Amino acid sequence: KNVTYPTEFDLLVRDYQYEVPQMQVSLTDAVVFDDAIQLLGYDLAADTTNLNGQFELTLYWQALEQPQKGYTEFNHVLSASGMQAQLDSPPSGDAWATATWLPGEVITDKRTINVSAEAVPGTYPLLVGFYTASDLVRAELNVNGVPEPSGGYNLLNVTLEE
């Protein structure tokens, strides 16, 4: 016997963006992850933040081809003594999952990065990159065609103040 049930669901459809928007900083380096995702540039709400605060970062990515994996993005502010601020999550805002990005598509990825409660005042590099959550393996990174073994791109320096 066949039984049918009424079903309702919402289908979320995103707008695909192919034009590169205005951004505060356009990268001069060709920063490419797994030959599929290029970092075009960023906006930073402020380059200095109070300890125990947070800062807003918008990254602009372009899919060179459709990524084969669903990546977790990392944003790490590191010092010799450890992690000062971080956000590890799938791309946010209108970015959706990386495996759904289409060739040529430009993705605007808005991030809010929290500063660690143990952060120490100073100026530190902000590294960005991708890894697969299932095995924590970082995506291959090439900068201007040269492999970067760490898998993290040094995007800018962030100053943390009391």
Side-chain angles (χ1 to χ4, degrees):
K1 176 177 175 178
N2 270 345
V3 178
T4 59
Y5 298 96
T7 304
E8 285 188 37
F9 61 92
D10 291 328
L11 179 62
L12 299 176
V13 178
R14 66 185 165 113
D15 292 327
Y16 293 93
Q17 174 70 31
Y18 292 93
E19 292 182 31
V20 177
Q22 281 292 119
M23 59 190 86
Q24 286 176 349
V25 178
S26 295
L27 297 183
T28 56
D29 289 333
V31 179
V32 179
F33 295 89
D34 272 353
D35 297 323
I37 301 171
Q38 181 169 354
L39 179 58
L40 301 175
Y42 65 91
D43 298 337
L44 182 65
D47 60 1
T48 300
T49 187
N50 291 327
L51 295 180
N52 300 319
Q54 59 188 29
F55 58 96
E56 305 291 325
L57 175 69
T58 301
L59 298 169
Y60 297 92
W61 304 99
Q62 186 168 40
L64 302 175
E65 59 184 56
Q66 186 166 13
Q68 297 301 305
K69 299 177 182 176
Y71 288 110
T72 297
E73 180 183 331
F74 68 87
N75 309 112
H76 293 168
V77 177
L78 295 171
S79 73
S81 61
M83 193 75 67
Q84 302 298 312
Q86 87 175 89
L87 175 62
D88 286 40
S89 73
S92 56
D94 294 331
W96 296 55
T98 56
T100 68
W101 296 359
L102 299 178
E105 183 180 7
V106 176
I107 293 90
T108 300
D109 180 17
K110 297 180 181 187
R111 324 269 301 156
T112 300
I113 301 171
N114 293 315
V115 177
S116 168
E118 291 83 35
V120 177
T123 300
Y124 308 107
L126 169 62
L127 302 176
V128 299
F130 293 101
Y131 63 88
T132 49
S134 60
D135 58 12
L136 304 178
V137 172
R138 288 189 175 184
E140 178 183 296
L141 168 60
N142 286 289
V143 180
N144 298 321
V146 178
E148 172 54 55
S150 74
Y153 179 70
N154 186 350
L155 184 65
L156 64 118
N157 289 325
V158 175
T159 300
L160 304 178
E161 295 179 344
E162 289 193 63

